[in-house]
Amino acid sequence: MATVAESVNYKGKVINFPLANQQENEVADDMLHENLARPTTERTKRLKARCRWKHASAGEFIDSEVRAGIERMRFITEAHKASEGQPEVIRRALGLANILNKSTLVLQQDEFIIGYHAEDPEMFPLYPELSYMAVQDYLMSDYSPQPKEEAEAINQYWKRFSMQSKGEGYFSKEDLTRMYQVSTMEAPGFATGYNSITPPYETILQDGLLKRIEMAKAKIEHAQKEMEKIPWNATEGLEWISKIDVWKAMIIADEAVINWAQRHARLAKIIAESFETDPARREELLEIADISHRVPAEPCKGLKDAFQAKWYTYLLCHAIDRYASGYAHKEDELLEPYYNISVEQKTFQPMTYTDVVEMVEMERLKISEHGAGKSRAYREIFPGSNDLFILTVGGTKPGYVDACSDMTDAILEGARNIRTTEPSIVFRWHPSGRVKTKQHVFECIRDGLGYPSIKHDIIGTEQMKYYSQFSKNKNGVTDDEAHYWALVLCMSPGVCGRRKTQKTRSEGGGSIFPAKMMEIVLADGFDWSYSAMQLGPHTGEPTEFKTFEQLWEAFRTQYAYAVSTVIRAKDVCRYFEGKYLQMPFVSSIDDGAMELGRDAVELSEQPNGWHNPITTIVAANSMVAIKKLIYDEKKYTMQQLVTALRANWEGHEAMRLDFQNAPKWGNDDDYADSIIKDFYEDIIGGEMAKITNYSGGPVKPVGQAVGLYMEIGSRTGPTPDGRFGGDAGDDGGISPYMGTDKKGPTAVLRSVAKVQKNQKANLLNQRLSVPIMRSIHGFSIWKSYMDAWEQLNIDHVQFNVVSTAEMKAAQQEPEKHQDLIVRVSGFSARFVDIPTYGQNTIIARNEQAFGANDLEYLNTQL
Amino acid sequence: MEEKIPANIMHDEIGTKKPCSSCKWQIADPTNPLRGQCTVNRNAMGGVWKRWIGNVSDMTCGKHEEGKLSFREHV
Ligand code: SF4
């Protein structure tokens, strides 16, 4: 029997909470998630049943069949050797062309959207041109590419050309050792290869590549005429050389992409004509062949074209030319014109709404099967999932007009029906957003998917305008363009469209870890608990700090060092990306790169410098406890604290409880919140604001956590918030520490709303009561919560709606709980694919019910 | 403040027959596969308090055990 929430006395009435779906009364609490999937068709049911998930945890792939392929690394190496002496940008294009021309194609049973990025659907590609250490880690693992000797020789060949070798030359050994540990700072992109991008899908769907090739040819012709002008002027004329090379590289890349898609078309046709026995599937394969023959060479004419062209572009930008995490696009607005053609007007590729939902489900399963050749650090920090894949829907068009459409609803309905951990979805919340779509958002959340996570539409739009003013070429987004944004990864917004999008994660995404900094501030910058080395600047013996302000400034010094070092590493990486890691295909579909003859990675039109403080609340709660117990009340001395911490609180339990019971973030407690607000605004955001990055703008904090809250916790000794050594950090950028938000959901909102200056992109994780959300009042309560959240000007929120009973049952019998999904941090995960400790951290989060006081505050109409 | 990690946790031993690299409690460093992390210290909730291993071939300790842990037992 399902649990039903207890009644509440509210506004003089007794409010009962019967389940919205009465049949659920018969479903046991601990089996709920296994009863929620409802694939739209038999085809998507089959595709889900045979999906080759590539979830990783603790650096290992869960499925033992998953392994690295060798084709990509083989073909890019072959091209690199053969192109010696040519301009680097041309070499990059030839590398891509060689991969696309020679790679094995994959076309699987039941698929409608086709294309894969390795020679076998159990495989993923590697990138020796990025990090030799990341490839070496694979070579030493159970999923090494084969033949291993060939892969080793390839890695050895690339070592001196790799981004890692280039970047390392500009940092001291000391700084590299500190960053590579990932305890106060994330390792540089040049050492990990980790990356993100927002591809300009719009041009490929609207123009097609044949048009882009014509544009590049016209540019070259114009440039050659300019160079031939008499009298010769070297100050202008020589600039055309690099531009001509960029345009030539675009043509090489685009022709190779068209050829690759048309190889897929031929394959589908051969299977249809020579092998397929089912007449319906034969027809479908011929349709698939027709689509891949046409797109992405030509503009998309209908919705099926758009899904396929988008998928090819995704594979190229995120996996084949270069690895990039994410699935950044404003999917509903991108597809809406083609939805209208195929569903509303039915003038090309006629479809019903249900057909579209099935396409969405099929696309989600393609993403679920996608393999990422990530370095070990990034196979550790998204436990229970594959990679970060996050698409964005909802929000507004210019003038804050609602951008929701039936395409938005189909995306949400497909996600709810098929139940996959990825891709995650972000919904941009605006008061003008239509209720029908918000109901779909609610249903996904209520069913425990953990997504959509919600972003504040106005805050995000204004952030795009803010960054625009720092544009180096004075061509940042216009006020209208500022409305067209999506999340690049978990939390950072970035513009979408035909130009100005973020092309590399060297723009943003550098993580720094305040919890570990707090630990070393109390040891003069020395890391006694993990690496036994000086991990940051000497900031003085803590026992000498006479005032709280001295501690505050010591922390500031550690933080400023870490932030500057991480962002310097980003920018050094970007410098070399522009010289050796150009992306001619991406350049060809970016209107800015095309117009200016500059590589898309090197060109920056719109700054987007969001960087990630993770585990801020452990440090902030520690500051509060120290101020209260040592400097205000003087109950303990700093010496006593340092001694207790070195003993991991052993023999000091009464003292630990005092520190643990000191006021904590998330309870609308003025003492704690005033210190923590300053901590965010003065140090976390304030120090970042002093930095100028590659794109000419200041950088801003985008506090999130991914699985790093556990990883960093495991590398962090005991902290003055009462935490033991090794315990997890806080699970989101501005989320209360697990189990410490004890005053209900609206007290959390009131605390979070106090932080306003220098930032507005902090992740807020909340866990809501299953019986209340599944009751007849679920939507009304959640909607009033969301409206209050919007009014409080909070940037983000996301929800777990999953019971402790079900999570504990899944720990006992994982094989029976394959569909149990939880929100870890900026991503959702299959619960049974998370290490036991990580599972426990999710169980330990407070499940928020809504009492009469909360309903009063929210003014919920029941 | 120069300090040393307590010797009973791990120590250098050039040519040891029980290197961290073959120990079930060792997991690779997130960035450099020639370095590692020791995960032998566990707390009540199952949390793992790691120690960094500067050289997985030439370091060891008395808790060495051959094997490999499942992902479930890591962080
Ligand atoms: S338990 Fe000892 S031998 Fe094993 S990894 Fe840790 S330090 Fe090395």
Side-chain angles (χ1 to χ4, degrees), chain A residues 77-307:
Chain A
T77 307
E78 206 175 81
H80 195 258
K81 288 178 179 170
S83 62
E84 196 178 344
Q86 299 207 46
E88 288 297 327
V89 68
I90 300 280
R91 297 182 85 184
R92 286 283 299 163
L94 291 170
L96 176 64
N98 203 44
I99 297 167
L100 296 177
N101 290 340
K102 294 184 177 169
S103 59
T104 304
L105 302 183
V106 174
L107 198 164
Q108 300 186 76
Q109 190 62 35
D110 276 329
E111 285 189 328
F112 192 85
I113 302 167
I114 62 166
Y116 195 68
H117 55 303
E119 58 269 39
D120 183 300
E122 295 283 8
M123 293 183 179
F124 51 81
L126 294 181
Y127 309 86
E129 71 274 29
L130 301 176
S131 160
Y132 61 84
M133 281 185 184
V135 176
Q136 192 179 354
D137 178 80
Y138 275 106
L139 292 169
M140 292 165 68
S141 75
D142 296 338
Y143 25 87
S144 169
Q146 300 293 339
K148 192 170 166 184
E149 297 68 35
E150 183 187 354
E152 278 169 348
I154 288 171
N155 201 34
Q156 195 53 37
Y157 168 80
W158 278 101
K159 190 170 177 183
R160 71 195 166 105
F161 301 114
S162 69
M163 294 304 291
Q164 183 168 10
S165 293
K166 293 189 195 318
E168 281 179 332
Y170 296 87
F171 290 85
S172 68
K173 199 162 173 282
E174 192 180 41
D175 279 342
L176 290 174
T177 308
R178 289 169 175 171
M179 286 191 281
Y180 286 6
Q181 284 178 36
V182 193
S183 64
T184 52
M185 299 177 272
E186 184 178 16
F190 58 69
T192 66
Y194 192 65
N195 185 34
S196 60
I197 186 172
T198 305
Y201 290 108
E202 286 70 10
T203 47
I204 210 155
L205 268 60
Q206 292 164 9
D207 295 1
L209 290 181
L210 289 171
K211 180 174 174 188
R212 306 303 291 181
I213 291 170
E214 288 312 309
M215 289 166 84
K217 283 182 178 167
K219 287 285 186 186
I220 293 171
E221 200 180 318
H222 170 75
Q224 279 165 341
K225 285 204 177 106
E226 287 294 310
M227 285 188 83
E228 287 161 11
K229 271 187 180 166
I230 296 172
W232 166 247
N233 178 347
T235 59
E236 289 169 8
L238 290 175
E239 285 182 10
W240 292 109
I241 293 175
S242 63
K243 291 175 190 284
I244 289 171
D245 288 344
V246 167
W247 287 314
K248 280 184 179 170
M250 291 181 191
I251 295 168
I252 295 167
D254 285 2
E255 286 177 344
V257 170
I258 292 171
N259 181 43
W260 175 66
Q262 293 183 347
R263 282 177 63 211
H264 282 85
R266 285 196 293 279
L267 177 63
K269 195 157 185 278
I270 289 167
I271 296 172
E273 290 174 348
S274 307
F275 299 100
E276 183 58 60
T277 52
D278 174 3
R281 178 63 176 165
R282 196 181 302 138
E283 280 308 301
E284 193 171 76
L285 283 164
L286 290 173
E287 188 182 13
I288 289 169
D290 176 58
I291 291 169
S292 284
H293 190 76
R294 196 171 54 253
V295 301
E298 295 171 29
C300 294
K301 289 160 71 178
L303 190 59
K304 291 176 182 173
D305 283 3
F307 270 106

Side-chain angles (χ1 to χ4, degrees), chain A residues 395-634:
Chain A
T396 57
K397 299 185 185 216
Y400 286 107
V401 172
D402 182 21
C404 295
S405 66
D406 289 351
M407 189 65 228
T408 320
D409 295 356
I411 291 166
L412 294 164
E413 200 168 325
R416 191 204 57 194
N417 290 354
I418 199 71
R419 285 186 77 79
T420 55
T421 46
E422 50 263 320
S424 185
I425 300 176
V426 176
F427 181 75
R428 290 169 40 190
W429 186 279
H430 187 272
S432 74
R434 64 190 202 181
V435 174
K436 182 183 167 204
T437 299
K438 287 175 178 170
Q439 178 85 39
H440 282 292
V441 172
F442 169 74
E443 285 173 12
C444 289
I445 291 169
R446 178 204 62 192
D447 280 7
L449 297 177
Y451 54 79
S453 72
I454 316 283
K455 288 283 278 188
H456 195 291
D457 184 70
I458 298 172
I459 291 175
T461 304
E462 292 304 313
Q463 285 166 341
M464 297 300 98
K465 294 180 194 171
Y466 170 79
Y467 264 133
S468 175
Q469 67 185 298
F470 303 102
S471 168
K472 282 206 290 201
N473 68 352
K474 305 278 174 268
N475 193 32
V477 295
T478 63
D479 283 1
D480 280 359
E481 288 168 341
H483 283 265
Y484 194 51
W485 57 270
L487 292 200
V488 183
L489 282 179
C490 309
M491 287 291 294
S492 54
V495 289
C496 303
R498 296 177 59 99
R499 68 192 290 172
K500 309 176 191 179
T501 69
Q502 183 177 315
K503 305 301 189 310
T504 160
R505 192 172 182 262
S506 54
E507 177 65 23
S511 300
I512 52 267
F513 310 112
K516 184 72 183 177
M517 287 174 214
M518 186 76 229
E519 181 196 341
I520 66 170
V521 163
L522 299 176
D524 190 22
F526 186 79
D527 176 16
W528 62 272
S529 77
Y530 178 66
S531 65
M533 62 179 280
Q534 188 69 29
L535 199 58
H538 288 279
T539 42
E541 290 295 334
T543 49
E544 306 285 315
F545 297 157
K546 297 278 178 277
T547 62
F548 178 68
E549 287 65 39
Q550 282 177 283
L551 171 72
W552 189 266
E553 291 309 311
F555 186 93
R556 185 198 301 282
T557 303
Q558 294 292 349
Y559 180 80
Y561 159 74
V563 168
S564 264
T565 307
V566 163
I567 297 172
R568 176 161 61 96
K570 289 273 175 193
D571 290 335
V572 168
C573 190
R574 179 74 171 267
Y575 174 85
F576 286 112
E577 284 174 343
K579 292 198 170 348
Y580 300 100
L581 207 67
Q582 300 93 335
M583 298 185 72
F585 171 69
V586 175
S587 302
S588 81
I589 58 171
D590 180 87
D591 279 348
M594 179 66 77
E595 179 193 326
L596 302 168
R598 289 172 63 183
D599 184 78
V601 176
E602 179 266 330
L603 174 66
S604 167
E605 301 201 274
Q606 166 83 2
N608 208 39
W610 299 96
H611 294 267
N612 321 331
I614 294 176
T615 66
T616 301
I617 287 299
V618 166
N621 279 339
S622 294
M623 283 285 187
V624 173
I626 292 174
K627 182 163 193 308
K628 180 169 191 295
L629 294 167
I630 295 180
Y631 292 103
D632 289 0
E633 296 175 4
K634 301 192 183 352

